[in-house]
């Protein structure tokens, strides 16, 4: 299975800050990388698919980049509602695998 | 507007079978651009893909190796829903179980509300 190494596992930031979360994969997954946001008691929600494509309705302060085996999620101008846990996902090869999660505290 | 509504018991005894259903509205389980998945989240927060079903002129089923010997995913086209059966459960199967849709290019873009299943006697 493709291993996903996400970092950091947690971080604290302030309103208006910029943060970056990284995800490293054990194999080249081309552009089959997505990012999810999960708030307590809720299902994960798709933010970004195919590395850098913003899901409909997601604020433009979220962006993704990367290639090969290293990918990042960047959130600029942090808002209080961005407090959540973020996960990366590879859907290049089965079993589809998620990163361990990054808990962002605002 | 696609919605997935899960149902099923929240408590299962060890060695028994976990059964959940996911009812689809706003899409069809037979949509030949979609796949219908089950994913679980452990109490520590880790997400694990369990398997999926999809229709491309015939029905296909794909399972994670970790549960392949114990899992069955099925669909009911008359009710527009799909289901999960996980046999011989142990306390390690305690998790929140989600159903989710993926479509070509959009991985897991719609999710059910989640069902906490506890395996305990």
């Amino acid at each position: 299975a493709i291993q996903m190494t996400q970092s950091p596992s947690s971080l604290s930031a302030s309103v208006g800050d910029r943060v970056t979360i990284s995800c490293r994969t054990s194999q080249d997954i081309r552009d089959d990388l997505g990012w999810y946001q999960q708030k307590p008691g809720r299902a994960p929600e798709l933010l970004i698919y195919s590395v850098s494509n913003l899901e409909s309705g997601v604020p433009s302060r979220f962006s993704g980049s990367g290639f090969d085996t290293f990918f990042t999620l960047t959130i600029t101008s942090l808002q209080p509602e961005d407090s959540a846990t973020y996960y990366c996902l590879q859907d290049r090869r089965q079993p589809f695998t998620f990163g361990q999660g990054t808990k962002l505290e605002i | 507007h696609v919605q997935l509504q899960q149902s099923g018991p929240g408590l299962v005894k060890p060695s028994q079978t976990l059964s959940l259903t996911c009812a689809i509205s706003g899409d069809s389980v037979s949509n030949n651009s979609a796949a219908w998945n089950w994913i679980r989240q452990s109490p520590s927060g880790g997400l694990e893909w369990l398997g999926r079903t999809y229709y491309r002129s015939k029905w296909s089923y794909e399972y994670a190796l970790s549960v392949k010997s114990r899992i069955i995913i099925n669909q009911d086209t008359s009710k527009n829903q799909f289901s999960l059966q996980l046999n011989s459960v142990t306390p390690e199967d305690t998790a929140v179980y989600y159903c989710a849709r993926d479509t070509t290019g959009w991985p897991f873009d719609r999710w059910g509300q989640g069902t906490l299943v506890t395996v305990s006697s």
Side-chain angles (χ1 to χ4, degrees):
Chain A
I2 295 177
Q3 307 301 315
M4 310 288 284
T5 304
Q6 192 174 333
S7 62
S9 57
S10 66
L11 74 157
S12 181
S14 300
V15 172
D17 284 355
R18 169 188 169 122
V19 298
T20 298
I21 299 167
S22 69
C23 186
R24 190 177 296 275
T25 62
S26 60
Q27 299 176 29
D28 180 3
I29 60 167
R30 302 198 184 182
D31 66 348
D32 293 326
L33 190 285
W35 291 97
Y36 293 80
Q37 177 192 68
Q38 186 178 32
K39 296 185 177 180
R42 303 289 298 272
E45 293 185 5
L46 178 63
L47 294 174
I48 287 172
Y49 60 95
S50 301
V51 178
S52 59
N53 294 278
L54 215 57
E55 173 70 340
S56 175
V58 174
S60 59
R61 62 180 182 273
F62 291 89
S63 64
S65 66
F67 66 97
D68 195 10
T69 61
F70 186 75
F71 305 89
T72 59
L73 170 69
T74 298
I75 314 171
T76 58
S77 189
L78 275 173
Q79 299 299 304
E81 60 267 29
D82 299 335
S83 183
T85 301
Y86 294 84
Y87 295 91
C88 56
L89 160 81
Q90 69 81 18
D91 64 327
R92 178 72 186 164
R93 289 190 183 84
Q94 294 181 16
F96 306 134
T97 45
F98 292 85
Q100 308 95 307
T102 296
K103 187 172 183 179
L104 172 60
E105 179 184 281
I106 309 296
Chain B
H1 180 55
V2 178
Q3 289 188 304
L4 305 179
Q5 181 68 39
Q6 298 177 217
S7 59
L11 180 64
V12 181
K13 288 182 167 50
S15 81
Q16 296 194 344
T17 296
L18 179 161
S19 296
L20 296 173
T21 298
C22 183
I24 304 163
S25 58
D27 199 349
S28 169
V29 72
S30 302
N31 180 351
N32 60 16
S33 298
W36 305 95
N37 299 261
W38 288 97
I39 295 162
R40 68 182 177 183
Q41 186 166 34
S42 68
S44 62
L47 289 159
E48 179 185 15
W49 175 80
L50 300 176
R52 67 180 182 175
T53 183
Y54 58 88
Y55 184 77
R56 303 287 186 269
S57 74
K58 67 172 186 175
W59 287 100
S60 293
Y61 308 92
E62 295 169 346
Y63 302 126
L65 282 178
S66 61
V67 293
K68 192 169 185 177
S69 64
R70 302 191 290 132
I71 190 173
I72 298 173
I73 293 176
N74 258 324
Q75 71 293 325
D76 184 336
T77 55
S78 66
K79 295 181 178 178
N80 201 30
Q81 64 187 32
F82 62 109
S83 62
L84 168 69
Q85 283 187 58
L86 189 64
N87 302 318
S88 305
V89 296
T90 72
E92 286 65 46
D93 293 310
T94 293
V96 176
Y97 286 74
Y98 293 101
C99 58
R101 180 186 78 167
D102 77 83
T103 60
T104 305
W106 280 268
F108 309 141
D109 63 335
R110 294 291 183 271
W111 295 64
Q113 78 275 23
T115 301
L116 172 60
V117 178
T118 302
V119 179
S120 174
S121 54

